Every structure is written in structure tokens, then in C-alpha cells.
Amino acid sequence: MSKLRGSCPMFRPLIVSSLFLSTSAFAAQVAPVPDAATPESTAAGTILVTATRAPTEIDRLASSVTVLDKAAIDRAQDIGVTELLIRTPGLSMSRNGGYGTTTSLRIRGAETDQTVVVIDGVKLNDPSSTGGGFNFANLLVSDASRIEVLRGPQSILWGSQAIGGVVNVVTAAPQKDLEASFDIEAGSRETVNARAGLGGKTGPLAWRIGGNIFTTEGISAIAALPGQTAERDGYTNRNLAGRAELEIAEGVSLDARGYYSRGRVEIDGFSGDTPEYSLNREFVGYAGLNVDLFDGRLRNRFAYGYTDTDRDSFNPTRARPQTFDAAGKNKRLEYQGSFAITDKWNALFGVENERSNFRSVSPAGSLSVPVPDPIRGKAEITGVYGQLSGELLTGLTVSGGIRHDDHKTYGGKTLFAGGAAWALPTGTVLRASYSEGFKAPSLYQLYSEYGNTGLAPERAHGWEAGVEQRLFDDALTLAATWFERKTKDQIDFNSCDFPVSTDPLCVTPGGDPRFGYYINVARTDAKGLEATASLKLGEGLLVDGNYSWIKAENSDTGQWLPRRPRHTANASISYDWAFGLTTGAAIRWAGKSYDNVSNSIRLDDYTLVDLRAELPIEGGTRLFARVENLFDEDYRTVNRYGTLGRSFYLGLRGRF
């Protein structure tokens, strides 16, 4: 294990701190690339946030948000969206091996399935997954032009599941009559990542299509013990995204978007190295009609969204290779309206109906044992919401919202939220908000072989208060936010003492013993502090950093929630040299955490250092290179599972 030594682990990497590369904190200080999701033109330096379902200036938001624009995404050079997000405050990640393996992202200590992921306005989740959430393993940067993280319960606008927050990914929309882009890079472990996009505007039609191919030999999913040599588990991913908007009349347009991803990842069994592998296919489709009335004061959107996720696992050593087959589908109808009551007050309202279903089966390895009928389940939820926001005093924006969800199984649930943001002439922004969350049990938790139809929904409420101060003509920005969240009836997996347990739920309805089942066992508390700072000196030097202290625990037992470090910190610096070269580096430090509910397995703290450089060549092309995990830190985010060591990459980027 290679580690930097020092009196405090947070400051071990100071020997390279003069080279950091700016990514997340400073990204919220520059104007985003316009796209179809943010149609309004804004003054230079104004940031619009679209994860709020309607473009909203960031200084008018009561909740904490991080915005990564295309410049920040390019500057970071990261392959996956997860790698970008963990540089931002309040987020932590765990992964069962290298790229493509199961990846969990937690916002402010919430469960990964308590985060809503949105791509181009379509809410993603897999009804066949354990918690009904989204697996970040296959979400590559691809043709993303903008990524937003909205923290805290957001169920008013996004419904069931948005207890931790929202991650909003917006793909690129054309800005010219004809435009193109490409990125290609290669590096350690025979890794190759190539993506390209093409788009344009022709009369009333605006369109763009982008694709990404990624392949790597990877690392062993199960970490090798000292003295052992483990085989590499490779990963490939191919995805395609497209969008088109057609203006058919003044104030009337049609909008279509699509996303498809196919991944193949080699995995290991619990006993160690195996030739097992998994396939994952995801499809996202969207079609919408946009109608503006009364000179644009009333905007209406009628839309249909569809997601289809198909997962299969195989073990070639078995007589029947397929070990798992699951599929989940979502069909979503929605109407959303916004009405400009005055030039300072706006109402947002809507209704949506979501129908989801799943099937799952685990065939036996012996050909003599028939494949059982798949387990199936379905759910339907209809939600109605409304939110009013406006400027109460100069610079003081207040908002309040209400939502009522009618779940076909669990009946009705009403949620409330409210907050205020006050932008003062001194460059100070004060924020405070209260919000509630609600998450129905997933179909897998209800109906799978480990299901429990007696589960109750998870319920949460939280509040936050923060301050942001901009100084020296916005060259220096300091911010801090305190938050608290309480969750009741959190769902967890309860293991059975197989096969001798006397617990009646440890037996299936057919009388067969099972290894465990899902149950409402926990009340959890999460609270913490997020602090950020960014500094721009002259035209070329950017410095930023953030620190998060998050105490997430089971309030019944006092134990830490698994795989959530209590302390995390990021810092970065970049410098643009006069002759065009940009150099930089970034540091991420994560404190200790625990791998299991009982806190008996500890995951040690770790420090990662990355170096990056970028050089314009000619026209719109740039050469870039980076070193990740410079000091080859050996660390774990999941017990027994490996992580990437020192890695080198070299690439070429073009924007035309």
C-alpha cells in the first residue's frame, strides 16, 4: 500500500497543492452553454438551473445546487459522470471493482436509490433493481453539456425517490447551422474512450446526435490478497444519444429525445476470481409537445417518457450459464405548466402518471432443474404538484410548493416544501429551505424472492440554511451550508439464520426457506456541513476547494450508515500559461467509513491525487493528458473489492 505520510491525512498531499485543477466549485461561477433545456437568454455570468423543472437563476434558489457546464466537464477530463460528481460537496461513492461494476452514489448520506437521475428531462430508475434506483455504473460523460446536482429532499417536483436529491444530465443541443465535436483517448489497462457528436439547425429544425464507445481490460473486481495474482475483469460500453426539436408554429414545438446504452462487465463471485459477466441495456425515450400561450406567459408541456432496463448475468462454468435475468420498464405521462403571474411571480404546476413493472428470475445451474416462472410485479402512482415563487422584496425570492401522490398500493401522501433566497447588494446570498420526501418500496423489495408485501413507504423531511459571499468583483467566493434530514421506516435487508430460523418471514409462501427479506427497520438521521471556496486570480489561475462533514447514522442503534465517510474534502488548482498550455491537479480525501451495518468492518481513509494538462494544437483541437491516482494509493470503497491504481491517459479533443 502506497501512502503519503503526515501529521494529518487531509494535508498529506500538500507537496502537489500548487498544481490543482479546478472543477466543481468554480463551475458554478461561469455561464453555462445554452441548450434546449434553458431557452431564455441571460446576461453574461448568470447561471440558470433546470433541475427545478423550469429554468431558474441560481441566486433565486433556496436549495443548494452545483452546476457543471461544458467547460468544467472538459477541464476535468473524467470518463464517467460519477467521477465528476464526487468532486462536489456532500457526495460519496462506492463501487464493486473497476469501471462498469455496481456503482452507488449518495447525496448527503442518503441511500443511492433515494436519488433521482434525470437525462434530458426523463426521470431514470430501474424497477427491477434492489431499491428501484439508478446504477451509475454505465453513465459515461458522453455528449453531456451540463450536469446539475440539487441537494436535499426534492419530492415536490420529482416525486417518490427524491429524498437525497436530483442529478440532472443535459446532453448538448446545437448552437450553429452545423457543428461537430469529438474526444478520443487511450491509457492504462488498454483503455480506449471515444465519443463524437454532430448537430445543426436547419430552418425550424434543431438536431444533434452523439455516441460513445468505451473499453478497458480493467482490474480484478475482487481485490487480490498479498502475494496473489488476480485476473482482470474487463468492461465495454456503447451508447448513443439524440435529440431534435421542430418548431411547427409560433410558440408551438415538438421535442424528441432518446438515449441507448449497452454495457458488458466481467465480475467475480463471492469466493473470488470467476469468469462471470453481466450485460446491461438501457433505453430512454421522450416525446413532448410544447405550447406557449398569452405571449409566452403560459407555457405548457405535454410529454411521454419511457425507460427500459434489461440486465442479465452469466457464469460460463455452469451447465446453464445464465444465472440472473431481470427487466424493468417505466411509462410516464405528464403535463407541466408554468404561468408568469407578474414579471416577478411565477406558478409552476403539473400532473403525472407513472406505471412501472418488473420481472426477475434466477435459473438453477443444472439443466435438470426447470427454469422457474419469472417473478413479476407492477405499480402505478399519480402525482399532482404546484409551486409558487416570486420576489417578495428586492433580491428576496420566496417559494412554496405542495404535492399529492396517489399510489395504487399505499394510497395518498401529501408533501410540502418552502424556502427563500436573499441576494443582497453586498454580494451575499442567504438561503434557507424545508422540504419533505417520500419513497414507496421498490417492486423488487415487495415481490422478489426476498420481498415483503407488508413494507411501508420511506418518509423523510429535512431543512438547510446557508450563506454565500462573493468578494473582489466575484473573484473570491465563500459558501457554507448546514443541513439536517430525518428518515422514518427506512427499508433494509434482514438476514435469516438459514435454514434454522423460526422467523415466519424467513419462509416463502411456498414453504421454502430463504436467506433474508426486506423490512422497515431503521430510523435514520443525517446532518452536516458543506463548505466551499473558489478563487480566480487574473486570467489564468483558478483555485477551489470544498469540505463536507456528514453524520449519517441509524438513530435506533447509533451505528454509522455503511460506506459513508463522515469527512470528505476536495481541492484543486489550474493555471493557463501565456502560450496556451493549461496545467493542474486535483486532490480528493475521504475519511474512514464502515462496510457493514454493525460497523465491524472498517474502510480506511484514503487520498487520491490527479494531474492534468491540456494544450491547443490548431483550430478547435486540443491535446490533453492526465495521471489519476498519482501515488498509486491502495484503498477500498467496498470491502474486498478492488479500486483503480495509478493510471495514465492521453487524448485529443475537437470542437468545430
Side-chain angles (χ1 to χ4, degrees):
M1 180 180 293
S2 172
K3 288 191 177 182
L4 297 173
R5 303 298 179 187
S7 58
C8 176
M10 288 181 61
F11 299 102
R12 290 181 296 184
L14 285 180
I15 58 174
V16 293
S17 62
S18 61
L19 300 174
F20 302 158
L21 168 69
S22 176
T23 55
S24 59
F26 191 79
Q29 308 303 319
V30 294
V33 178
D35 57 47
T38 56
E40 288 84 350
S41 60
T42 60
T46 301
I47 301 172
L48 292 180
V49 177
T50 60
T52 53
R53 282 188 173 265
T56 306
E57 293 181 21
I58 197 169
D59 284 352
R60 300 170 69 90
L61 284 179
S63 298
S64 299
V65 65
T66 295
V67 178
L68 301 171
D69 67 357
K70 186 60 175 175
I73 294 171
D74 284 349
R75 190 164 55 242
Q77 299 184 21
D78 287 314
I79 293 172
V81 170
T82 303
E83 284 68 35
L84 276 167
L85 296 180
I86 59 175
R87 304 179 191 275
T88 65
L91 275 76
S92 61
M93 180 268 287
S94 60
R95 176 179 283 159
N96 291 16
Y99 284 115
T101 57
T102 300
T103 303
S104 299
L105 191 77
R106 300 176 178 88
I107 300 179
R108 289 182 171 175
E111 297 293 335
T112 185
D113 53 47
Q114 293 174 340
T115 294
V116 163
V117 180
V118 181
I119 294 183
D120 287 337
V122 182
K123 182 174 129 179
L124 300 182
N125 66 310
D126 175 12
S128 69
S129 68
T130 301
F134 178 74
N135 180 7
F136 282 84
N138 295 292
L139 187 57
L140 305 181
V141 170
S142 301
D143 204 32
S145 67
R146 177 185 181 87
I147 302 173
E148 302 169 346
V149 182
L150 193 61
R151 299 177 185 84
Q154 306 295 330
S155 288
I156 298 298
L157 296 180
W158 291 106
S160 177
Q161 188 181 341
I163 289 176
V166 175
V167 174
N168 182 38
V169 180
V170 180
T171 60
Q175 306 301 313
K176 304 175 184 178
D177 291 341
L178 185 64
E179 62 185 30
S181 65
F182 75 88
D183 299 73
I184 184 167
E185 61 183 309
S188 300
R189 305 171 199 90
E190 298 189 18
T191 299
V192 177
N193 184 43
R195 56 182 184 259
L198 180 68
K201 294 181 178 180
T202 305
L205 176 65
W207 60 276
R208 184 174 173 96
I209 187 169
N212 194 161
I213 298 176
F214 175 81
T215 181
T216 181
E217 279 199 351
I219 60 172
S220 177
I222 294 288
L225 297 174
Q228 290 183 342
T229 301
E231 108 297 2
R232 291 185 174 182
D233 292 311
Y235 171 60
T236 60
N237 181 282
R238 294 173 175 84
N239 63 69
L240 186 68
R243 61 188 301 169
E245 184 173 1
L246 177 65
E247 185 178 358
I248 57 179
E250 185 176 357
V252 182
S253 64
L254 294 173
D255 194 8
R257 309 163 197 162
Y259 170 81
Y260 176 78
S261 171
R262 177 183 174 89
R264 182 188 188 278
V265 61
E266 296 172 358
I267 57 178
D268 286 330
F270 293 110
S271 60
D273 287 340
T274 66
E276 296 178 62
Y277 65 93
S278 293
L279 302 178
N280 186 89
R281 292 170 293 277
E282 296 171 339
F283 173 76
V284 178
Y286 172 92
L289 172 65
N290 309 296
V291 181
D292 295 348
L293 301 173
F294 308 119
D295 295 325
R297 291 183 62 189
L298 175 61
R299 294 186 171 184
N300 305 277
R301 179 171 63 87
F302 306 86
Y304 173 75
Y306 176 76
T307 65
D308 187 347
T309 305
D310 195 351
R311 297 179 294 126
D312 300 277
S313 296
F314 300 87
N315 185 346
T317 64
R318 301 196 335 167
R320 179 183 284 125
Q322 188 168 28
T323 60
F324 182 70
D325 176 17
K329 294 181 175 63
N330 271 321
K331 299 176 182 179
R332 187 182 184 88
L333 286 169
E334 58 181 309
Y335 163 76
Q336 179 181 302
S338 65
F339 181 65
I341 302 171
T342 69
D343 60 344
K344 295 184 178 181
W345 287 86
N346 188 73
L348 182 70
F349 44 88
V351 58
E352 53 196 22
N353 174 267
E354 181 178 296
R355 300 186 180 189
S356 57
N357 62 75
F358 99 114
R359 64 169 175 80
S360 174
V361 62
S362 299
S366 174
L367 295 177
S368 64
V369 180
V371 176
D373 292 334
I375 298 170
R376 300 179 184 273
K378 60 182 179 179
E380 181 179 354
I381 186 168
T382 301
V384 180
Y385 63 89
Q387 179 174 277
L388 180 66
S389 61
E391 192 171 15
L392 191 62
L393 300 172
T394 301
L396 176 60
T397 301
V398 297
S399 61
I402 184 172
R403 181 186 185 95
H404 180 79
D405 279 333
D406 184 12
H407 196 283
K408 206 160 189 178
T409 301
Y410 295 101
K413 177 66 176 178
T414 302
L415 305 172
F416 300 92
W422 198 354
L424 301 172
T426 58
T428 307
V429 181
L430 304 175
R431 292 185 173 90
S433 65
Y434 168 83
S435 51
E436 298 177 342
F438 160 82
K439 181 180 181 297
S442 71
L443 293 175
Y444 189 91
Q445 291 166 341
L446 288 170
Y447 303 116
S448 74
E449 59 265 44
Y450 308 111
N452 178 4
T453 55
L455 290 173
E458 298 174 333
R459 297 167 293 153
H461 64 272
W463 64 272
E464 68 173 76
V467 59
E468 178 179 316
Q469 181 63 58
R470 299 167 188 162
L471 302 168
F472 311 118
D473 293 327
D474 293 346
L476 173 64
T477 301
L478 304 171
T481 301
W482 177 267
F483 73 90
E484 294 189 11
R485 183 187 66 252
K486 294 183 180 296
T487 305
K488 295 181 179 180
D489 292 326
Q490 185 151 310
I491 298 171
D492 204 350
F493 185 77
N494 183 62
S495 298
C496 294
D497 187 13
F498 179 81
V500 298
S501 176
T502 59
D503 186 341
L505 288 177
C506 286
V507 180
T508 67
D512 297 323
R514 57 180 180 174
F515 291 100
Y517 57 91
Y518 290 95
I519 190 172
N520 298 105
V521 297
R523 292 182 302 137
T524 63
D525 291 339
K527 60 183 178 182
L529 174 69
E530 299 164 346
T532 65
S534 65
L535 175 65
K536 179 178 181 180
L537 294 177
E539 295 298 322
L541 182 63
L542 303 178
V543 184
D544 73 18
N546 62 70
Y547 166 75
S548 301
W549 175 80
I550 299 175
K551 184 180 181 182
E553 62 183 21
N554 184 320
S555 55
D556 293 331
T557 65
Q559 305 283 8
W560 291 26
L561 295 182
R563 301 171 187 171
R564 294 159 176 81
R566 194 155 285 186
H567 303 272
T568 58
N570 295 275
S572 59
I573 218 174
S574 71
Y575 186 72
D576 296 334
W577 299 85
F579 57 93
L581 176 69
T582 299
T583 56
I587 289 178
R588 172 170 175 78
W589 174 76
K592 72 172 184 179
S593 62
Y594 294 99
D595 189 68
N596 56 347
V597 172
S598 63
N599 292 181
S600 61
I601 301 175
R602 170 174 164 153
L603 302 172
D604 290 334
D605 65 292
Y606 60 89
T607 302
L608 304 180
V609 179
D610 302 337
L611 302 179
R612 292 172 170 82
E614 188 172 330
L615 179 68
I617 301 176
E618 185 177 345
T621 60
R622 304 177 74 89
L623 182 69
F624 62 91
R626 70 184 181 279
V627 182
E628 296 181 352
N629 195 359
L630 175 66
F631 296 101
D632 202 24
E633 180 93 340
D634 186 12
Y635 67 102
R636 301 284 179 268
T637 61
V638 179
N639 185 48
R640 297 185 66 224
Y641 286 89
T643 53
L644 294 173
R646 185 186 296 114
S647 307
F648 300 88
Y649 300 93
L650 178 67
L652 187 67
R653 173 185 302 130
R655 303 286 183 264
F656 309 102

